[in-house]
């Protein structure tokens, strides 16, 4: 199929079951030969109503099977011609739907093959009645086939029209994505590459020139400001790329799943890379006890908070990371910083509920897991607090 079909809903399955039962019910009081045409009509209706057949075959193959069985019933039906009429309209209408659907959604080769088979079976369907008339006259069969050609041609035309619309829509999406990629490439060149080039030039100049302490401090301030501007431009670029209708839970999972046991290394590495002092308060024995997705989300909460501190408040004097188990049971992860000092570097002040793409995506991921994420000012600094639910587990010895 060209497009991915959604699974059938319970309502659609219920409609299919009801319709097929009502169509097949009259065969219970008819001669046994009527079951042949009744079952073919019921099968055609089921394949036409459901997006996916109940048997493990593709929808296109199921439609082709309907065409083969319909032609076989035209040739081998042994009963009276009058028994054909009660089920003929249902089979005819179902095959019209199948012709349009196959031509619209199947790949080119299958659309041509199965669509042609369905169209021929649809045009031959009236012959099941006319060839069994008491008088063997050719005229009724010719008229019936000619009358069936018009709705069959309409079904083919509708399928081709919808297929052309789908192709145009797909090409338009591809063009829009290509233009967006080109625009992102221009933005990266105009803004991010410009800032990175400036940083490289400053570093190269520093390698061949002698700087005193004051000049070194000014150089580092310029490098920090340029790096932060580049990160800010990258944030705007990622914001434009991110699909607002796609939840964070649908994004590709990380290559490595982190846990609470990785937090000490993460915090130590952060504290060693700058002037910020702080402490990690991780409840003893907690690492490795929560589900992997919960521990990974907790690690990401701390990682995102530390990243924002480095960007917005690199001169913060104090950092506190607390990971404890609370009632619920739940895992509470809190990261608090003392805020940036006046006149220090960093991006613009953070706004409550603002955040970049990382914090927004993290909030969606935490919400998907049934938790809650909050970020905002706290005691002159900033606090990020995530609460992640834990599945109830039996109490351990020595723990309340």
């Amino acid at each position: 199929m060209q497009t991915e079909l959604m699974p059938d809903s319970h309502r659609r399955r219920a409609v299919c079951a009801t319709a097929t039962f009502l169509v097949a019910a009259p065969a219970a009081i008819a001669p046994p030969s009527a079951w042949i045409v009744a079952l073919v009509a019921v099968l055609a209706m089921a394949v036409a109503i459901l997006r996916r057949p109940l048997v493990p075959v593709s929808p296109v193959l199921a439609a082709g099977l309907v065409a083969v069985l319909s032609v076989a019933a035209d040739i081998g039906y042994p009963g009276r011609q009058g028994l054909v009429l009660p089920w003929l309209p249902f089979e005819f209408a179902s095959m019209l739907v199948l012709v349009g659907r196959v031509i619209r959604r199947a790949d080119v080769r299958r659309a041509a093959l199965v669509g042609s088979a369905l169209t021929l079976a649809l045009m031959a369907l009236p012959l099941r009645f006319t060839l069994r008339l008491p008088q063997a006259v050719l005229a009724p069969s010719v008229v019936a086939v000619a009358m069936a050609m018009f709705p069959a041609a309409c079904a083919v035309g509708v399928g081709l029209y919808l297929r052309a619309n789908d192709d145009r829509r797909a090409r338009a999406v591809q063009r829009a994505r290509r233009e967006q990629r080109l625009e992102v490439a221009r933005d990266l060149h105009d803004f991010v590459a410009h800032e990175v080039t400036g940083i490289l030039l400053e570093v190269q100049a520093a390698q061949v020139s002698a700087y005193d302490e004051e000049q070194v401090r000014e150089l580092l301030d310029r490098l920090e400001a340029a790096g932060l501007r580049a990160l800010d431009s990258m944030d705007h670029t990622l914001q434009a790329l991110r699909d607002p209708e796609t939840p964070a839970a649908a994004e590709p999972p990380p290559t490595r799943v982190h846990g609470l046991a990785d937090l000490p290394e993460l915090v130590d590495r952060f504290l060693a890379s700058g002037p910020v002092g702080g402490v990690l308060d991780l409840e003893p024995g907690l690492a490795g006890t929560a589900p992997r997705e919960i521990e990974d989300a907790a690690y990401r909460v701390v990682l995102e908070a530390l990243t924002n501190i480095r960007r917005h408040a690199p001169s913060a004097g104090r950092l506190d990371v607390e990971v404890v188990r609370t009632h619920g049971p739940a895992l509470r992860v809190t990261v608090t910083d003392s805020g940036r000092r006046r006149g220090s570097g960093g991006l613009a002040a953070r706004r409550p509920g603002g955040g970049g793409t990382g914090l927004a995506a993290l909030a969606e991921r935490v919400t998907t897991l049934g938790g809650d994420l909050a970020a905002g000012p706290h005691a002159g600094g900033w606090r990020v607090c995530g609460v992640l639910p834990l599945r109830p587990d039996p109490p351990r010895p020595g723990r309340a």
Side-chain angles (χ1 to χ4, degrees), residues 65-302:
L65 179 62
V66 169
V68 172
L69 292 178
S70 178
V71 173
D74 295 338
I75 299 174
Y77 172 64
R80 301 192 306 270
Q81 80 278 4
L83 295 178
V84 173
L85 292 179
W87 293 278
L88 192 64
F90 298 101
E91 185 177 346
F92 190 84
S94 300
M95 292 181 67
L96 283 175
V97 174
L98 291 178
V99 168
R101 180 184 297 173
V102 168
I103 292 178
R104 177 187 182 183
R105 298 189 179 277
D107 58 76
V108 176
R109 183 178 179 181
R110 292 186 178 184
L113 181 62
V114 180
S116 299
L118 282 169
T119 303
L120 293 176
L122 186 62
M123 294 169 55
L125 188 58
L127 299 179
R128 191 182 302 174
F129 176 78
T130 58
L131 292 180
R132 291 173 174 80
L133 291 174
Q135 300 84 11
V137 183
L138 186 60
S141 298
V142 174
V143 173
V145 172
M147 293 180 62
M149 287 179 61
F150 179 73
C154 291
V156 173
V158 170
L160 291 174
Y161 174 76
L162 295 177
R163 185 187 186 93
N165 281 347
D166 293 341
D167 291 342
R168 284 195 297 268
R169 188 179 301 111
R171 289 194 298 268
V173 170
Q174 291 177 354
R175 286 196 301 268
R177 288 177 177 174
R178 181 175 180 273
E179 293 174 359
Q180 187 180 47
R181 287 196 296 267
L182 292 176
E183 183 178 355
V184 169
R186 288 192 296 268
D187 290 343
L188 289 176
H189 179 270
D190 294 341
F191 298 104
V192 180
H194 172 74
E195 299 294 351
V196 174
T197 301
I199 293 174
L200 291 176
L201 291 176
E202 293 276 11
V203 173
Q204 290 170 354
Q207 292 175 349
V208 298
S209 302
Y211 287 94
D212 58 24
E213 184 176 350
E214 182 64 25
Q215 290 175 323
V216 170
R217 184 163 55 250
E218 293 177 357
L219 172 63
L220 293 178
D221 289 340
R222 291 197 301 271
L223 294 178
E224 181 187 23
L228 291 172
R229 287 195 301 270
L231 286 175
D232 196 26
S233 299
M234 185 69 72
D235 260 357
H236 289 299
T237 303
L238 294 177
Q239 185 85 31
L241 285 177
R242 189 169 181 268
D243 186 0
E245 297 181 358
T246 301
E251 296 176 357
T255 303
R256 177 189 173 191
V257 179
H258 296 85
L260 299 181
D262 299 310
L263 286 179
E265 179 186 358
L266 173 65
V267 175
D268 290 342
R269 188 168 63 247
F270 177 83
L271 296 178
S273 63
V276 183
V279 64
L280 168 64
D281 182 10
L282 176 60
E283 181 179 319
L286 185 58
T289 61
R292 294 182 61 190
E293 64 273 14
I294 297 297
E295 293 206 6
D296 181 67
Y299 180 91
R300 288 176 171 272
V301 170
V302 177

Side-chain angles (χ1 to χ4, degrees), residues 315-338:
S315 61
R318 181 70 183 175
L319 167 69
D320 293 307
V321 181
E322 182 186 43
V323 183
V324 296
R325 183 189 292 264
T326 62
H327 295 291
L331 187 67
R332 187 180 67 202
V333 183
T334 307
V335 182
T336 309
D337 67 81
S338 59

Side-chain angles (χ1 to χ4, degrees), residues 352-370:
T357 58
L359 193 59
L362 182 62
E364 292 180 8
R365 188 179 298 275
V366 171
T367 303
T368 302
L369 293 174

